[in-house]
Amino acid sequence: MSGSGLLKCWQDVPPGTVTFGATSREVETGLWRSMRPVLDAAKCVSCLKCWLQCPDASITTDSDARVTGIDFFFCKGCGVCAKVCPAGAISMCPESDFLSAPAEASRGASPGKAGELFGA
Amino acid sequence: MSGLNIKEMTKREGPLCEGHRMCPGCGAPTAVRQAFMGIDDPIVVVGATGCMEVSSTVYPYSAWRVPFMHVAFENAGAAISGIESAHKALRGRGMFRENIKFVAFGGDGGTYDIGLQALSGALERGHDITYICYNNQGYMNTGAQRSGATPKSASATTSPAGLKLPGKLQRPKNLTEIAEAHDIPYVAQTTLHNPMDVITKVKRAVETKGPAFVNILVPCPLFWKIDPADQAQVCKLAVDSRFWPVYEVADGEYKLSYEPKKHVPVEDFLKSQGRYAHLFKRDAVRTDLIESAQRDVDAQWEKLKMRIQSSQR
């Protein structure tokens, strides 16, 4: 099942009650978001406070442990990161401001479900 | 505690991955993520029924990268004991070489109330396990009913504030003290005020040989009626107002992890949440209940101070 994409019907569901590890990574919880955290890279000092506090593990970091951005496929827009940021580098903006932005709602090249739903 | 480097932690994949369906701003996934950040050994996790289990294992998906077993509300303590014993037996026969750690999660409903006897048994039998209670002070998974952990005067759906009653009438039980009474090697109480506190305490609990218990206060934005973004700030208020003292007991020795520098009245903590809004109605402020909450907090703090002093003597 892992890597096969979102399950479409009951026949896709594996028998028994064993689920495979980390398969929830196929679920786009970013669809819930009404406010979007916007990272100002110039202000960010990579203290990792947002990374430590994010309930959804949506803060992305590079190999030097510097904050690179926010994974909008999973980010639910709770705003915890903006509140704990000591540098004021994250601001919360209404998700509706981003409807025209192409292909940004999701990870990778796919526009993601949010994009499809709102016709972006 | 040595060997804790946040930069190194970012390179590891945590046991709880993205895509779980906990509410935005919920404190429980933050607590679970932080709890495992300092642990290097392979782990096996048991989850009692509760928000965390329901939302992280929505069939047919799982948000766990480690072996995870869901059991009923009442038997997370028994299940983790059995898994630990089985591992010990199989290791004796040479089937395992790794040093596997066993961690059980329960909410306050599954720990304070329904799972208390299984937990007590596990602690008494001395299994090498860690039990973590993520305590949001009520049955959130089923719709904000009161639990044994719900504080006095909080409005829950089964102890609603109205014309006759001002929310819950009883005081919560002190589960951390109940765990201490089992004379186990490690007991700690913490919250999300400072990530390093959670990380170091759970690391210590997991590395302790024998049973360990950690009680983590986590906010539920729906029940506490707070802004989801405020989880760290509300927890800081809980610690600063001494409503939730953060301390640990290692081999009978008490240690306060953080002592608030300036006095913050418990009123500030109550005021920050909608579940106490009935105490602060403009024309009818319930000063009697606010004062009684302050008295309870002061008494609890004095009691803790006494225990700390007598253990260090």
Side-chain angles (χ1 to χ4, degrees), chain B residues 24 28 44 51 73 79 113 160 173 181 200 218 225-226 235 263 268 273:
Chain B
V44 171
C51 281
F73 251 126
D113 297 348
K173 62 175 118 171
T200 48
V218 297
K225 298 193 180 68
I226 57 170
C235 291
H263 178 71
D268 292 8
Q273 302 155 52

Side-chain angles (χ1 to χ4, degrees), chain A residues 81-92:
Chain A
C81 51
K83 273 278 169 82
V84 297
C85 181
I90 302 177
S91 48
M92 301 300 292

Side-chain angles (χ1 to χ4, degrees), chain B residues 48-70:
Chain B
T49 301
C51 281
M52 196 65 230
E53 170 276 315
V54 165
S55 311
S56 65
T57 58
V58 180
Y59 187 74
Y61 299 103
S62 166
W64 293 89
R65 288 196 177 95
V66 295
F68 177 88
M69 186 181 173
H70 163 223

Side-chain angles (χ1 to χ4, degrees), chain A residues 6-96:
Chain A
L6 213 64
L7 306 179
K8 296 241 162 38
C9 59
W10 66 268
Q11 285 94 337
D12 289 347
V13 174
T17 51
V18 174
T19 53
F20 296 93
T23 38
S24 72
R25 298 195 84 244
E26 288 160 13
V27 181
E28 187 177 354
T29 52
L31 288 170
W32 303 7
R33 193 173 56 246
S34 59
M35 296 292 279
R36 174 184 291 215
V38 177
L39 177 74
D40 182 349
K43 281 189 193 164
C44 175
V45 292
S46 284
C47 64
L48 297 172
K49 283 201 169 149
C50 53
W51 180 84
L52 284 165
Q53 203 76 29
C54 178
D56 294 293
S58 298
I59 308 288
T60 54
T61 53
D62 63 11
S63 55
D64 292 328
R66 297 196 69 80
V67 174
T68 52
I70 294 150
D71 190 343
F72 291 118
F73 191 83
F74 297 117
C75 170
K76 295 168 186 163
C78 62
V80 166
C81 51
K83 273 278 169 82
V84 297
C85 181
I90 302 177
S91 48
M92 301 300 292
C93 306
E95 190 64 24
S96 52

Side-chain angles (χ1 to χ4, degrees), chain B residues 124-143:
Chain B
E124 184 266 327
R125 288 189 299 268
H127 296 281
D128 187 10
I129 56 158
T130 302
Y131 194 105
I132 299 176
C133 172
Y134 65 94
N135 173 8
N136 49 24
Q137 305 192 317
Y139 289 86
M140 292 313 106
N141 178 33
T142 46

